[in-house]
């Protein structure tokens, strides 16, 4: 027992003052990592090692924080205690809390002083996610506009033409009705606000006032009510989408399992599609060549979407500022991004890399949507999770029919404004 | 009549037991489905495949191998970390809380009751209130990302002191007097007399601490940064949110791996749990 304890004391408790062996440790916070996508994990690991080789005496220590909610909580706490990592992977959906609390370094002076780095290599609206006036707090790595995926084989079987730009809610509902049959839904709906907010935008509404300080008059507006009513009809009236409990009971992505003809999601979903489970005949339930990408249907003449993005930011009190900047430049360089994006995880924020991948029809479709893609509210409004919580509670009541869209959204707007007024 | 009544209660209890055990059985069966399979409907919950027109049982035990060794994560290290941290925490809690309880019951000193009330009062604060101060203390000691951070903050517990004090009070004080007359030191009385008599209460404390430490998620997440310092609960949580949708069989296999030791301890120590609840409710 004593020997075992001694072993552990030497081995583990020695970590109290980590032996760096004279090395400079660059700490990089990321969220989780892909548990069952070894190709992606391997690529990221290889790129990190390459940076270490180019910079002798430097060790890049990746700190994976699992869980999206926990990521923000843990990082905020480490900023309070002054133990934050050097580089933070900044998720656009929760960027405001970090940017507006002044814990990140303004990168604009570093960019201005660096002739090797050109911000024009990146899509402007993607860069703007982390911009406040002349200050810039993150360099975008990759991102994804939210799109409509459709299963071409199911469309062909039902004799329904593929969706194309300019389609309306009505066109979408008609297609979904014709694609629904026993064992197959026309559309997969989940009560996930980052996914359904775009239906409100494409009906001409929005959930908050333009400066993001009020929900009353916006979330409960007639346009938002119409969008919510439409979603309820899909599930409860026309029954072209599974009920919320049916979706939950399936536990998997019905689209990736060949049980739904359309779904709204981001580029990351393609990893799941490529690894679609196999049916009893040994063939994948969804063949990647059957996956089509279309803009979201819109009733306002122009399809609007949201983009979710991951950028690289440096902590304001980072001790290895130059090294951190070098790492960001390395990670956002043309060559590294080419390799990173070959994993299929997202769309590269660099124009050159994205254009090179445009030979693929699906990738080309994503690029066409970039100009109309908006930053998520969470990049602008601190504590936006309160809006998402209230929004999803309201949508639940609307879809299950326990409240009318008008009542549920008005109640949600009151709750959000009450929470905002406490800040 | 008696037979009927016994039969009735057995039937009722069996039905209740089956109802309560169902989620665990479900978890085990789903963990044996092929990787990435959807959540099975109830009639397909047993993993089967067709062989010459017949359904045969087809468990995919390789899911466990994948989670433990092929997930790209150092799961055996997570397991060792969890065992080490839990073992140390349980031993330290037993030592510190029993000494505190001994002092609060067997020693007479000014302010003893005030001390006890302070312990008692500290139970009124919920965990999140204490999290930031504890984190700051651990940081200023330079313990973040080390075993110290995982073990020391949990090395004592007001609840366990309270629980042991309730038990120690019931041990007759004549024993101490007799031992003192025979020349036994205070430590000897504590170690040789009180502790052996308090075994059931100590077992309760050990079981509570074991389960709380083994299943703790948020503190190990906050206190550690590097992958090799993660515990099972934190390390395996990536199976919940990996890209490409949920992989239920893998997630359930990971859950079984985390749960089995807890379940074993619970089954072994369940009478101590019941005893602990009774102890906590008296006096």
């Amino acid at each position: 027992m004593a020997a075992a304890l001694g072993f552990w004391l030497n081995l583990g408790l020695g970590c109290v003052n980590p032996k760096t062996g004279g090395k400079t440790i660059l700490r990089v916070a990321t969220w989780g990592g892909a548990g069952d996508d070894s190709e992606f994990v391997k690529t990221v690991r290889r790129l990190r090692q390459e940076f270490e080789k180019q910079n002798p005496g430097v060790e890049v220590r990746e700190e994976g924080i699992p869980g999206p909610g926990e990521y923000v909580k843990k990082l905020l706490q480490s900023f309070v205690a002054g133990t934050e990592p050097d580089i933070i992977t900044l998720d656009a959906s929760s960027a405001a809390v970090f940017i507006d609390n002044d814990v990140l370094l303004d990168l604009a002076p570093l960019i201005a002083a660096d002739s090797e780095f050109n911000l024009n290599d990146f899509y402007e609206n993607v860069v703007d996610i982390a911009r406040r006036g002349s200050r810039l707090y993150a360099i975008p790595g990759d991102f994804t506009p939210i799109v409509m995926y459709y299963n071409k084989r199911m469309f062909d079987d039902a004799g329904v033409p593929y969706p194309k730009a300019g389609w309306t809610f009505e066109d979408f509902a008609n297609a979904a009705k014709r694609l629904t049959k026993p064992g197959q839904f026309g559309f997969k709906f989940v009560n996930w606000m980052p996914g359904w907010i775009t239906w409100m935008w494409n009906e001409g509404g929005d959930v908050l006032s333009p400066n993001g300080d009020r929900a009353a008059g916006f979330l409960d507006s007639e346009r938002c009510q119409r969008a919510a009513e439409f979603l309820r009809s899909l599930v409860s009236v026309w029954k072209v989408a599974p009920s919320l409990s049916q979706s939950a009971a399936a536990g998997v992505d019905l689209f990736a399992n060949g049980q739904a003809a359309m779904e709204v999601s981001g580029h990351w979903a393609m990893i799941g599609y490529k690894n679609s489970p196999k049916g009893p005949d040994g063939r994948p339930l969804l063949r990647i060549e059957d996956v089509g990408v279309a803009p979201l249907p819109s009733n306002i003449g122009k399809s609007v979407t949201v983009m979710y993005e991951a950028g690289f930011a440096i902590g304001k009190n980072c001790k290895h500022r130059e090294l951190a900047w070098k790492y960001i430049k390395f990670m956002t360089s043309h060559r590294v991004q080419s390799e990173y994006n070959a994993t299929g995880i997202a769309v590269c924020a660099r124009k050159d890399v994205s254009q090179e991948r445009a030979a693929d029809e699906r990738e080309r479709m994503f690029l066409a949507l970039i100009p109309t893609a908006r930053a998520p509210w969470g990049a602008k409004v601190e504590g936006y999770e309160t809006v998402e919580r209230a929004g999803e509670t309201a949508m639940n009541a609307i879809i299950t029919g326990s409240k009318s869209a008008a009542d549920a959204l008005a109640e949600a707007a009151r709750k959000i404004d009450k929470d905002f007024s406490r800040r | 009549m008696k037979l009927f009544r016994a039969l009735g209660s057995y039937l009722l209890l069996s039905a209740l037991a089956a109802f309560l055990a169902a989620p665990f059985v479900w978890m085990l069966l789903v963990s044996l489905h092929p990787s990435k399979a959807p959540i099975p409907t109830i009639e397909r919950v047993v993993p089967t495949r067709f062989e010459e027109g017949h359904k045969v049982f087809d468990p995919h035990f390789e899911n466990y191998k994948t989670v433990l060794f092929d997930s790209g994560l150092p799961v055996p290290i997570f397991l060792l970390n969890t065992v080490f941290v839990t073992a140390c925490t349980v031993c330290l809690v037993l030592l510190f809380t029993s000494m505190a309880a001994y002092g609060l019951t067997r020693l007479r000193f000014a302010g003893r009751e005030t001390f006890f009330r302070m312990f008692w009062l500290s139970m009124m604060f919920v965990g999140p209130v204490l999290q930031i101060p504890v984190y700051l203390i651990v940081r200023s000691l330079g313990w973040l990302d080390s075993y110290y951070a995982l073990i020391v903050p949990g090395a004592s517990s007001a609840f366990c002191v309270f629980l042991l004090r309730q038990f120690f009070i019931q041990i007759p004080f004549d024993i101490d007097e007799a031992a003192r007359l025979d020349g036994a030191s205070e430590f000897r009385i504590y170690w040789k007399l009180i502790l052996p008599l308090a075994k059931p209460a100590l077992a309760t404390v050990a079981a509570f601490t074991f389960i709380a430490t083994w299943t703790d998620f948020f503190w190990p997440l906050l206190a550690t940064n590097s992958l090799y310092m993660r515990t099972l609960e934190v390390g395996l949580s990536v199976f919940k949110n990996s890209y490409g949708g949920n992989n239920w069989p893998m997630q359930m296999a990971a859950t079984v791996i985390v749960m089995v030791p807890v379940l074993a301890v619970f089954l072994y120590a369940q009478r101590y749990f019941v005893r602990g609840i009774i102890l906590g409710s008296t006096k």
Side-chain angles (χ1 to χ4, degrees), chain A residues 8 12-13 16 27 31 34-36 45 63-64 66-67 70 73-74 77-78 81 83 249-252 272 275 277 345, chain B residues 36 38-39 71 84 131 135-136 139 142 144 147-148 217-218 221-222 224-225 230 234 237 241-244 247-248:
Chain A
W8 278 101
L13 299 177
V16 173
R27 293 171 54 210
W31 48 82
D36 54 8
R45 195 174 296 156
E63 297 179 359
E70 283 79 16
K73 275 191 222 160
K74 169 154 178 157
Q77 189 141 335
S78 63
T83 55
V252 288
N275 297 310
I345 188 84
Chain B
K36 292 190 179 154
I39 296 181
S71 60
F84 179 66
Q131 220 157 52
Y135 184 81
L136 291 175
R139 183 217 47 179
L144 285 178
Y147 286 116
Y148 286 124
F217 174 77
F218 201 60
L221 174 76
L222 277 183
T224 63
N225 297 320
R230 297 291 201 209
V234 179
S237 66
N241 65 332
S242 55
Y243 291 103
N247 191 342
W248 285 95

Side-chain angles (χ1 to χ4, degrees), chain A residues 100-113:
Chain A
D100 296 340
N101 282 296
D102 200 24
V103 293
L104 302 178
L105 184 71
D106 174 17
L107 303 179
L110 291 173
I111 297 168

Side-chain angles (χ1 to χ4, degrees), chain A residues 33-355:
Chain A
D36 54 8
D37 183 51
S38 53
E39 209 42 57
F40 175 78
V41 175
K42 271 185 220 154
T43 305
V44 174
R45 195 174 296 156
R46 189 167 42 75
L47 292 170
R48 212 172 53 216
Q49 284 164 352
E50 205 184 303
F51 180 78
E52 289 173 341
K53 226 180 250 171
Q54 285 176 13
N55 297 276
V58 172
E59 185 190 327
V60 179
R61 197 171 282 176
E62 195 182 330
E63 297 179 359
I65 305 169
E70 283 79 16
Y71 186 78
V72 174
K73 275 191 222 160
K74 169 154 178 157
L75 279 182
L76 285 179
Q77 189 141 335
S78 63
F79 272 113
V80 169
T83 55
E84 72 276 10
D86 300 299
I87 292 174
I88 291 105
T89 312
L90 198 65
D91 178 5
S93 324
S94 56
V97 67
F98 295 103
I99 295 176
D100 296 340
N101 282 296
D102 200 24
V103 293
L104 302 178
L105 184 71
D106 174 17
L107 303 179
L110 291 173
I111 297 168
D114 194 328
S115 57
E116 287 172 21
F117 187 84
N118 187 359
L119 201 57
N120 293 326
D121 288 340
F122 300 81
Y123 290 104
E124 203 181 338
N125 57 342
V126 184
V127 172
D128 286 347
I129 291 176
R131 195 191 284 283
R132 295 288 188 275
S134 61
R135 294 163 172 254
L136 184 67
Y137 292 96
I139 304 296
D142 54 5
F143 73 107
T144 173
I146 292 293
V147 298
M148 179 72 73
Y149 286 108
Y150 62 95
N151 185 324
K152 290 180 182 171
R153 187 181 52 76
M154 289 180 183
F155 272 70
D156 291 342
D157 290 349
V160 180
Y162 297 156
K164 53 176 190 275
W167 68 327
T168 61
F169 283 19
E170 196 186 344
D171 299 334
F172 165 79
N174 286 337
K177 284 177 200 167
R178 288 174 62 188
L179 287 157
T180 302
K181 60 181 188 183
Q184 179 181 310
F185 289 102
F187 177 59
K188 184 203 109 180
F189 176 76
V190 281
N191 184 6
W192 178 58
M193 191 163 170
W196 60 247
I197 188 173
T198 48
W199 293 94
M200 294 185 165
W201 292 358
N202 281 310
E203 185 64 61
D206 204 344
V207 297
L208 295 178
S209 58
N211 60 0
D213 64 350
R214 187 162 50 93
F218 294 88
L219 179 60
D220 52 358
S221 67
E222 209 173 292
R223 287 171 187 276
C224 286
Q225 287 177 34
R226 270 211 302 273
E229 271 300 335
F230 178 78
L231 293 173
R232 188 186 72 83
S233 300
L234 291 176
V235 177
S236 308
V237 181
W238 307 316
K239 298 193 191 309
V240 296
S243 68
L244 299 179
S245 54
Q246 275 172 318
S247 276
V252 288
D253 182 347
L254 290 174
F255 184 84
N257 273 261
Q259 289 171 277
M262 293 184 276
E263 87 161 328
V264 168
S265 192
H267 199 292
W268 65 79
M270 294 250 250
I271 288 189
Y273 302 161
K274 279 181 193 152
N275 297 310
S276 170
K278 292 184 173 62
D281 57 358
R283 281 192 290 192
L285 296 169
L286 173 72
R287 295 186 317 161
I288 188 70
E289 45 292 11
D290 285 338
V291 176
V293 176
L296 301 172
S298 174
N299 283 350
I300 52 169
K302 182 182 81 170
S303 174
V304 188
T305 189
V306 59
M307 55 183 164
Y308 296 107
E309 173 255 5
F312 297 98
I314 303 177
K316 200 178 178 184
N317 298 318
C318 172
K319 288 188 192 84
H320 315 295
R321 220 173 259 196
E322 274 172 39
L323 187 64
W325 175 240
K326 206 170 173 186
Y327 180 78
I328 291 180
K329 281 203 297 179
F330 172 81
M331 285 307 286
T332 56
S333 66
H334 175 265
R335 195 189 54 75
V336 169
Q337 280 296 316
S338 302
E339 284 187 45
Y340 182 84
N341 278 280
T343 59
I345 188 84
V347 183
C348 183
R350 284 186 72 98
K351 295 177 205 162
D352 46 8
V353 176
S354 304
Q355 296 298 340

Side-chain angles (χ1 to χ4, degrees), chain B residues 30-38 63 67 247-254:
Chain B
V30 173
S31 76
L32 297 174
H33 276 254
S35 174
K36 292 190 179 154
N63 289 349
V67 171
N247 191 342
W248 285 95
M250 285 299 166
Q251 200 176 315
M252 287 304 123

Side-chain angles (χ1 to χ4, degrees), chain A residues 381-413:
Chain A
V381 175
E382 191 184 329
Y384 180 67
E385 55 281 1
T386 185
V387 179
E388 291 190 330
R389 266 199 305 272
E392 284 170 7
T393 307
M395 187 55 79
N396 207 54
I398 295 166
I399 298 283
T400 55
S402 65
K403 274 184 196 144
S404 70
D407 288 349
L409 292 177
E411 195 180 305

